[in-house]
Amino acid sequence: MKIEQIKVFVSCPGRNFVTVKVITDEGVYGLGDATVNGREMAVVAYLEEHVVPCLINRDPHQIEDIWQYLYKGVYWRRGPITMAAIAAIDMALWDIKGKVAGLPVYQLLGGKSREGITAYGHANGETMTETLDNLGKFIEQGFKAVRLQCAIPGLGGTYGTLGDKKDYFELQSDRPLPPEQPWSTSKYMNFIPELFKQARERYGYEIQLVHDVHSRLTPIESAHLGKLLEPFNLMFLEDASAADNQDGYQIIRNHTTTPLAIGEIFNTVWDAKDLIVNQTIDYLRTAITHGGGITPMKKMADFAAMYNVRMAPHGAPDLSPICHAAHAHFNLWAPNFGVQEFIGFGTAKLNSVFSHPLSFDNGYIHLEDKPGLGVEYNEEEGLKHAYKRSYLPVTRLEDGTLWYW
Ligand code: EZ4
Ligand code: CO
């Protein structure tokens, strides 16, 4: 079997997605997700100009060798654009192998370690009451874990809240230039512990709770927040601080027993190596699309397991349904799976372009048994939704200093 053609599609059914289709001389094809939110066309150029020509006529079954060729074989290793491009090819090759074998990808990884995939939903709101009412709705739907994000009083536009937008799946397509949002660490610190206090008073301690700091705090500030949140038993605090310097997490760890999760912007195991071996984190949140594919994620999971770190792949709506399906296969297999972030299955427009094998019931994601990843990309529908330049917001402190979004 040979790789005959590789197509790269960009479509915007509410937000931009980059999709790769690897087609073989025997007609079998595989699909992969290469979306990097706000930098989509950089991955397209990387794939079309620098990856696709090298893969024509290669054997698609040589997944490991092709991964090594695209990673180790290239002097300019790592980085989000490179690794998303490699990831999409890798996903597509696992999809092909599964289709040829007549087996779902989780079977190729080693089979199921569990029946259902525990998912956490997003309860958010403009006020504390709205956020807590939404938490109640998630509990009623059977969710076992929920992320809480609330607009911070006195700040216009807080990460994780929708403002006047309809939903996550339409959030980004109308941002042709980066919008700006203000940030105040003191306003945030004075508010968030009260949100979790009231959540526990209203709903008790059975529901597991998560919060995403989105890297807005320094290590000592997040250590302080972690301590303030200890009475409210979080499942984890996400992106408590940026980890460009992995040593910073030791400061957080030294001061709080609130579990820590990080990794959605990591693109190789090297971004997390010190965090793992020093046991300064509890969950690794790298996505298959941004971490170089299924091949390295399996290695990362086994490495993390040696240090009691569990996998909790990023599940944002800017990952395409192909990545969400790949996560489901991975999560069914990974012995050290923790939890999957889950924001629903999107809009009718999104589902006209992508179909996926996932369903949700009583707090768990389930995967229909189909060969490969079990996803389809409708090329004709995709063409109806042209790419729109779009950006994530930029954050400034109230005095104008640029900060982490
Ligand atoms: O901000 O995916 O946990 N989820 C997140 C996301 C990220 C976006 C960035 O593209 O932090 O909402
Ligand atoms: Co996050």
Side-chain angles (χ1 to χ4, degrees):
M1 189 180 263
K2 281 181 178 176
I3 296 173
E4 200 171 69
Q5 190 188 8
I6 300 177
K7 293 183 181 175
V8 183
F9 308 107
V10 190
S11 181
C12 185
R15 19 191 355 144
N16 293 317
F17 294 108
V18 180
T19 302
V20 168
K21 184 173 186 177
V22 176
I23 303 162
T24 68
D25 58 346
E26 294 178 22
V28 184
Y29 62 85
L31 295 167
D33 175 30
T35 309
V36 177
N37 196 353
R39 293 291 184 274
E40 297 87 355
M41 300 313 277
V43 196
V44 174
Y46 191 99
L47 279 161
E48 287 182 338
E49 189 60 28
H50 307 296
V51 172
V52 171
C54 305
L55 299 184
I56 303 304
N57 288 329
R58 283 179 191 273
D59 177 358
H61 280 304
Q62 304 289 359
I63 298 177
E64 184 69 44
D65 185 65
I66 289 176
W67 194 90
Q68 299 290 337
Y69 183 84
L70 294 175
Y71 178 79
K72 198 184 283 178
V74 175
Y75 185 56
W76 310 107
R77 291 186 298 281
R78 304 172 63 183
I81 306 303
T82 301
M83 298 313 289
I86 298 176
I89 299 292
D90 185 77
M91 269 180 251
L93 298 183
W94 281 98
D95 193 18
I96 290 171
K97 198 182 275 298
K99 286 174 180 172
V100 172
L103 291 170
V105 166
Y106 73 81
Q107 293 289 16
L108 307 181
L109 298 176
K112 281 187 192 181
S113 299
R114 58 193 56 75
E115 287 307 316
I117 298 156
T118 307
Y120 70 89
H122 285 190
N124 55 55
E126 295 307 300
T127 63
M128 194 155 335
T129 309
E130 189 190 356
T131 307
L132 296 179
D133 288 349
N134 284 333
L135 169 58
K137 291 177 194 161
F138 280 94
I139 295 171
E140 275 167 29
Q141 288 173 61
F143 275 89
K144 311 286 181 269
V146 180
R147 185 182 97 158
L148 292 188
Q149 306 291 137
C150 183
I152 306 301
L155 288 181
T158 305
Y159 165 77
T161 60
L162 288 168
D164 56 3
K165 293 289 187 308
K166 289 191 299 291
D167 62 56
Y168 284 129
F169 296 96
E170 301 283 346
L171 190 61
Q172 227 211 320
S173 55
D174 60 351
R175 290 170 172 172
L177 288 173
E180 298 206 356
Q181 291 179 347
W183 178 252
S184 158
T185 295
S186 59
K187 284 180 180 146
Y188 172 77
M189 294 289 256
N190 291 336
F191 181 76
I192 288 299
E194 183 63 23
L195 175 69
F196 281 84
K197 181 168 176 276
Q198 292 199 17
R200 288 307 185 197
E201 279 169 6
R202 209 165 135 180
Y203 299 106
Y205 279 75
E206 194 171 319
I207 184 74
Q208 304 213 67
L209 296 177
V210 167
H211 177 66
D212 191 348
V213 180
H214 223 256
S215 305
R216 303 282 169 84
L217 301 178
T218 65
I220 198 68
E221 289 165 351
S222 33
H224 184 49
L225 179 64
K227 276 176 98 159
L228 294 173
L229 291 174
E230 274 173 29
F232 314 120
N233 269 8
L234 266 63
M235 184 180 203
F236 59 70
L237 193 60
E238 174 180 334
D239 286 332
S241 192
D244 301 37
N245 176 359
Q246 296 179 39
D247 288 347
Y249 266 65
Q250 196 65 58
I251 296 171
I252 311 174
R253 197 62 150 183
N254 287 346
H255 291 288
T256 181
T257 57
T258 294
L260 301 171
I262 189 171
E264 67 186 48
I265 68 163
F266 292 174
N267 42 74
T268 72
V269 71
W270 297 106
D271 294 323
K273 186 265 234 175
D274 295 344
L275 300 173
I276 293 170
V277 298
N278 296 330
Q279 302 191 63
T280 44
I281 60 168
D282 302 280
Y283 295 88
L284 182 59
R285 291 187 31 77
T286 304
I288 288 177
T289 297
H290 300 137
I294 294 168
T295 299
M297 277 283 280
K298 191 173 191 300
K299 297 174 190 179
M300 273 184 241
D302 286 333
F303 175 59
M306 293 165 64
Y307 300 90
N308 287 313
V309 174
R310 284 177 278 182
M311 305 304 281
H314 189 202
D318 50 292
L319 295 155
S320 94
I322 301 170
C323 177
H324 290 282
H327 282 166
H329 288 273
F330 174 81
N331 294 337
L332 277 183
W333 160 73
N336 55 330
F337 167 69
V339 69
Q340 176 62 58
E341 181 178 29
F342 171 62
I343 34 68
F345 296 125
T347 58
K349 195 159 54 167
L350 177 69
N351 291 314
S352 72
V353 179
F354 296 93
S355 71
H356 63 78
L358 307 174
S359 58
F360 176 81
D361 178 43
N362 196 32
Y364 299 101
I365 295 169
H366 294 283
L367 176 63
E368 197 186 325
D369 263 358
K370 286 182 175 174
L373 293 173
V375 291
E376 289 297 340
Y377 182 79
N378 187 324
E379 294 179 37
E380 270 173 41
E381 285 297 321
L383 284 173
K384 292 182 189 166
H385 309 288
Y387 164 75
K388 286 186 197 161
R389 184 160 48 89
S390 179
Y391 287 96
L392 287 164
V394 165
T395 295
R396 291 186 188 275
L397 303 183
E398 288 171 305
D399 71 358
T401 307
L402 199 90
W403 201 241
Y404 295 99
W405 177 72

